[in-house]
Each structure stands twice: as C-alpha cells, then as structure tokens.
Amino acid sequence: RTLEITSGEGVHVVFDSVGKATFPGGLEVLRRRGMMVGFGNASGRPDAVAPLALAKSGSLFMTRPTLFDYTATRPELLASAATFFDTVAAGDVTVDIVQRWPLRDAAKAHRALESRATTGSSILIP
C-alpha cells in the first residue's frame, strides 16, 4: 500500500519502534537512499541486516539512535528541550495525556505501564 501511495517511489524515512515484526517491512518501503531509524524492540530484536542488502535495496541508510547521544552535554540537552517545548507551544505537536495518577500511586502507574495497559502519555501528579 505504501508503494501505491508513493507511486512506487517509497518513503524517505521509516521510524520503527516495534522491531522484529515490522523492521523487514519497513526496509521494503524505503525509497532509494532512504533512512531506516530503528528505536524500539517491542516485538523483539530485529534480525541482522547485511550491509550488501542495504546496497542492493537502493543504497539505504540505517541507524539506531539513543536519546543520550543527542543530549550528552548540558547545551545539547537544553537545546533539545527548547526545540521540543517550542514545537509543542506552536501547536505542531500535541500531547495526549490519557492517564493521570497521584504520586502516591506511582507503583500502580508502573504496573500499568509495564503490562501495556496504557496508551498515550501518562503523568504522575505531585
């Protein structure tokens, strides 16, 4: 379906937070010189990808970023936070707070998160 929508060109970037179940399909819908960004393993760790397979599929790029590498210094952290809050304030991104717990129920909140019983954002209220 993705290739139909893009007239067979594929997409520039795939952001994959699921892992094993979706990673191969994400690679298949990338356009030439597309970028695969894997950042989660909800369904398990994806299988290894041979560098030659990336070349044969259109000179694809692949990365596995972590937040800590982008916020390693205080200036990087402050710049990242400022960009995020500016984006939210401009209305370009909305934050959907679905669950709210009083701080005294932090253990209950953690159990809900760990059991995948939550959606959207969750907050603890002091």
Side-chain angles (χ1 to χ4, degrees):
R1 175 98 176 112
T2 300
L3 293 177
E4 289 174 24
I5 293 169
T6 62
S7 301
E9 292 293 316
V11 297
H12 291 276
V13 181
V14 170
F15 293 94
D16 186 277
S17 65
V18 177
K20 188 169 186 71
T22 56
F23 202 84
L27 286 172
E28 289 175 10
V29 299
L30 285 169
R31 71 184 327 139
R32 189 168 46 94
R33 295 187 312 269
M35 169 77 74
M36 175 58 121
V37 182
F39 63 96
N41 297 326
S43 68
R45 186 177 66 193
D47 294 331
V49 177
L52 186 56
L54 297 175
K56 288 181 176 180
S57 296
S59 299
L60 302 180
F61 295 86
M62 195 164 69
T63 187
R64 182 67 158 93
T66 65
L67 178 63
F68 300 110
D69 287 324
Y70 289 86
T71 58
T73 67
R74 181 90 177 139
E76 289 173 331
L77 175 62
L78 294 176
S80 181
T83 299
F84 172 73
F85 287 116
D86 289 346
T87 302
V88 171
D92 296 331
V93 171
T94 58
V95 179
D96 186 17
I97 300 170
V98 180
Q99 295 83 209
R100 292 175 172 82
W101 288 280
L103 185 56
R104 69 180 171 275
D105 290 339
K108 181 179 175 181
H110 279 274
R111 283 191 297 276
L113 290 166
E114 290 169 3
S115 68
R116 300 180 189 231
T118 63
T119 59
S121 297
S122 304
I123 61 170
L124 295 172
I125 303 168

